[in-house]
C-alpha cells in the first residue's frame, strides 16, 4: 500500500473506493466487458454482423448514449469499439457513469446466456479492487453506507487512543490491500481494538471484554443494555474462543471481504460506544 494509505492520510472512502473509481478498477471491468461482449464481435465486419451484437449496440446507442442510430449504420465494428472505449476511458466519464454503463449492459437482453457470469466476474473485480459496490440482482448497489464510514473514521481519528486506533488502521490496511488482502488478520486487528479499550476501561492489561463491561456496570454505574452486552460478547467470542478465528488459522477460505468489513465496522462502532460510556463514567482513557 502507499504511504498515505498505510499511515491514514487517505480517508476510508478513498481506501475502499466509495465515491471514486481508480484506473485499475476501470481496466478490470473493461476486461470483463471484452471477455463477454467485445470479443464476440467480428472485427472485420460491420457492427451489426450478428443478431446479439446488433441488439447490444443498438440498445447502447439509442437508450444509453441516446444518439441517432443512423450515425453508425455504415461503421465497421472496430470504429464502434473505439467510440465506446474512448467514452469509457475518457477523463470526462465520472466514476458513477462507469457504473451506469456496466449496470446498463448487465440489464441488456443481448447475450442473455452470459449475464449471470458477466455480473459474477464484475463482482470479482469490484471485490479485488476494494470498491464499495457490487452487482446485487440487476443493480450495482452500495455495500458500505455513510454511517459505517463515519464509525470507522471516528475510531481511527481518536488521538487519545493511539494504540486502539493502530489496530483499526491495521485492520483497514489488511482489508483493503488490493494485491494480497488478509481478511483473517484484519478481523484479529479489529477485535484487538475492542480488547484495547476494554483493558483501558478496566485498568487490567490482561482484561477481556466481559470483565470490562462488568467494571462499567457494577463499579462505575454505567449501564449497558443486557441484549447489547451479550450480543457483543458473542461477536467477541467468534474471534476469541477455542473455535474462533484466532485459533482456526488453517480454514482461511471461510473468511471473506464481507466478514472482515463487518467486523471492522462493528468493532469501530463498539469502540466508539465504549469510549462514550467511559467518558460518562469519567474514566481517563489517555
Amino acid at each position: 500500500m502507499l504511504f498515505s494509505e498505510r499511515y491514514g492520510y487517505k480517508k476510508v472512502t478513498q481506501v475502499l473506493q466509495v465515491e471514486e473509481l481508480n484506473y485499475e478498477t476501470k481496466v478490470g471491468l473493461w476486461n470483463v466487458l471484452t471477455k463477454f461482449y467485445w470479443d464476440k464481435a467480428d472485427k472485420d465486419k460491420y457492427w451489426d454482423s450478428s443478431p446479439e451484437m446488433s441488439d447490444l449496440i443498438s440498445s447502447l446507442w439509442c437508450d444509453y448514449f441516446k444518439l441517432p442510430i443512423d450515425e453508425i449504420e455504415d461503421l465497421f465494428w472496430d470504429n464502434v469499439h473505439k467510440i465506446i472505449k474512448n467514452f469509457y476511458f475518457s477523463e470526462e466519464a465520472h466514476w458513477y457513469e462507469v457504473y451506469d454503463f456496466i449496470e446498463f449492459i448487465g440489464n441488456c437482453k443481448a447475450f442473455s446466456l452470459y449475464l449471470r457470469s458477466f455480473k459474477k466476474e464484475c463482482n470479482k473485480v469490484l471485490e479485488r479492487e476494494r470498491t464499495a459496490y457490487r452487482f446485487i440482482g440487476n443493480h450495482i448497489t452500495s455495500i458500505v453506507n455513510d454511517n459505517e464510514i463515519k464509525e470507522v473514521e471516528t475510531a481511527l481519528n481518536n488521538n487519545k487512543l493511539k494504540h486502539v486506533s493502530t489496530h483499526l488502521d491495521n485492520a483497514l490496511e489488511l482489508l483493503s490491500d488490493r494485491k494480497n488482502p488478509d481478511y483473517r488478520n484484519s478481523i484479529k486487528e479489529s477485535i484487538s481494538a475492542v480488547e484495547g479499550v476494554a483493558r483501558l476501561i478496566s485498568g487490567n492489561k490482561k482484561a477481556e471484554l466481559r470483565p470490562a463491561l462488568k467494571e462499567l456496570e457494577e463499579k462505575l454505574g454505567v449501564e449497558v443494555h443486557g441484549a447489547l452486552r451479550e450480543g457483543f460478547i458473542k461477536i467477541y467470542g467468534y474471534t476469541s474462543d477455542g473455535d474462533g478465528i484466532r485459533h482456526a488459522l488453517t480454514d482461511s477460505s471461510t473468511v471473506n471481504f464481507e466478514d472482515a468489513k463487518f467486523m471492522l465496522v462493528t468493532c469501530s462502532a463498539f469502540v466508539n460506544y465504549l469510549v462514550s460510556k467511559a467518558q460518562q463514567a469519567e474514566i481517563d482513557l489517555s
Side-chain angles (χ1 to χ4, degrees), residues 167 179 224 262:
H167 283 301
K179 293 184 179 180
V224 179
F262 170 78

Side-chain angles (χ1 to χ4, degrees), residues 38-85:
W38 313 149
D39 278 352
K40 302 295 187 294
D42 192 326
K43 297 176 175 59
D44 298 322
K45 295 184 178 180
Y46 291 104
W47 62 272
D48 56 354
S49 58
S50 73
E52 293 87 356
M53 189 57 68
S54 177
D55 288 346
L56 177 62
I57 300 304
S58 296
S59 184
L60 271 174
W61 229 255
C62 297
D63 301 324
Y64 184 78
F65 294 121
K66 302 188 186 304
L67 295 172
I69 193 66
D70 58 1
E71 290 184 359
I72 62 168
E73 282 186 350
D74 298 325
L75 295 180
F76 285 92
W77 164 248
D78 277 351
N79 302 115
V80 174
H81 181 257
K82 287 178 182 177
I83 292 171
I84 296 172
K85 189 172 185 178

Side-chain angles (χ1 to χ4, degrees), residues 203-265:
N204 183 347
K205 294 183 179 180
K206 296 183 179 181
E208 295 186 352
L209 187 56
R210 190 182 292 275
L213 294 178
K214 186 176 181 180
E215 181 87 8
L216 277 171
E217 293 179 315
E218 294 184 357
K219 296 183 179 179
L220 302 170
V222 178
E223 183 179 356
V224 179
H225 190 279
L228 179 63
R229 179 186 63 245
E230 292 306 311
F232 275 111
I233 288 173
K234 288 179 180 179
I235 291 175
Y236 180 80
Y238 160 67
T239 69
S240 301
D241 65 19
D243 296 322
I245 204 163
R246 297 187 185 187
H247 301 276
L249 295 176
T250 59
D251 192 18
S252 59
S253 62
T254 61
V255 182
N256 57 28
F257 174 84
E258 286 73 23
D259 297 322
K261 189 209 81 171
F262 170 78
M263 289 301 293
L264 174 61
V265 172

Side-chain angles (χ1 to χ4, degrees), residues 18-21 26 64 87 92-104 133 140:
V18 176
E19 292 187 352
E20 64 172 36
L21 197 65
K26 291 180 72 173
Y64 184 78
F87 155 76
E92 287 73 29
H94 298 290
W95 65 272
Y96 49 83
E97 291 176 301
V98 173
Y99 282 130
D100 285 344
F101 184 77
I102 296 294
E103 186 179 82
F104 182 88
Y133 305 92
I140 294 178

Side-chain angles (χ1 to χ4, degrees), residues 103-118:
E103 186 179 82
F104 182 88
I105 290 181
N107 283 277
C108 284
K109 294 181 180 179
F111 300 104
S112 58
L113 292 176
Y114 303 132
L115 283 179
R116 181 174 294 181
S117 297
F118 169 71

Side-chain angles (χ1 to χ4, degrees), residues 138-161:
N138 294 324
H139 302 285
I140 294 178
T141 305
S142 173
I143 60 168
V144 180
N145 63 44
D146 291 341
N147 289 331
E148 291 176 331
I149 293 168
K150 183 178 179 181
E151 291 292 353
V152 177
E153 290 190 332
T154 298
L156 280 172
N157 295 328
N158 192 325
N159 295 325
K160 294 183 178 180
L161 302 174

